Amino acid sequence: IAMGFIRKILIFITGYAWLLLLLGPGLIAMSVYSGWKAEGDHAYAAREKLTTVTGKVVEASEVTVKRRRSSSTKHYYQINVQPDAGGDVQKLRIDYSTPKVLVSALIDEKVTALVDKSDSDLVYEVSMGDKPLIPYETTKQRLVADAASSAKSLSGAGMWIFAIFLTLIGAAGVWSNRKLRAADEEAQAAAA
């Protein structure tokens, strides 16, 4: 009876091995993707792919987003722009590395912003008249540096070894689970 109970516990535990079997290749895929994003011009949007928003900044605020699961906190600034062409107020995101004084100075000013609509309305450039207050190049360099940092943290040999280890443990767990289930079915058939 004790052996049957232990077998049931092992079947339950190894029943989750497929998660490790998926997690290993998932980590490898994340590593490859972050390396790809850091190379070339994948980390930022080209100037011609950005949307131009022109209008008056009616409000500026600091936004804090707390994620429950990962306990990480993200900060950014948001400016609300009333477009010259009319319509709804546009809520645009400005990176937190931008000086707060600069963001505050935009309130009640007419600005032209280059925005990436595909990346939650991230602002790449803000100009007042002909003068760029947040230059496109500064944003581009920051995004490239962020991508390189992310790629570096995910592409180390330790990460690959860990991912391969998880895959092997997952494969062994799935194999063990099948063997344990077969042994359990045999034991139940013999007891019947």
Side-chain angles (χ1 to χ4, degrees), residues 61-65 73-79 93 96:
S61 58
E62 187 176 324
V63 179
T64 302
V65 179
T73 305
K74 188 173 184 163
H75 299 281
Y76 62 89
Y77 297 110
Q78 178 176 298
I79 57 171
R93 253 183 346 119
Y96 201 62

Side-chain angles (χ1 to χ4, degrees), residues 171-186:
V174 168
W175 180 81
S176 298
N177 185 271
R178 286 188 179 160
K179 290 286 186 196
L180 287 165
R181 284 178 188 270
D184 190 50
E185 287 172 13
E186 283 178 26

Side-chain angles (χ1 to χ4, degrees), residues 67-95:
R67 294 209 170 95
R68 284 187 210 186
R69 292 183 183 210
S70 63
S71 72
S72 68
T73 305
K74 188 173 184 163
H75 299 281
Y76 62 89
Y77 297 110
Q78 178 176 298
I79 57 171
N80 296 348
V81 178
Q82 179 63 58
D84 288 344
D88 294 336
V89 170
Q90 302 273 319
K91 295 181 178 191
L92 310 178
R93 253 183 346 119
I94 295 179
D95 188 74

Side-chain angles (χ1 to χ4, degrees), residues 122-125 134-144:
L122 177 67
V123 172
Y124 272 70
E125 183 175 275
I134 301 172
Y136 172 82
E137 282 301 316
T138 304
T139 303
K140 176 180 158 182
Q141 288 169 3
R142 179 184 50 76
L143 290 171
V144 167

Side-chain angles (χ1 to χ4, degrees), residues 45-66:
R47 184 183 278 274
E48 51 277 358
K49 290 188 176 175
L50 300 173
T51 305
T52 303
V53 175
T54 305
K56 182 180 178 184
V57 177
V58 291
E59 185 183 7
S61 58
E62 187 176 324
V63 179
T64 302
V65 179
K66 272 193 160 224

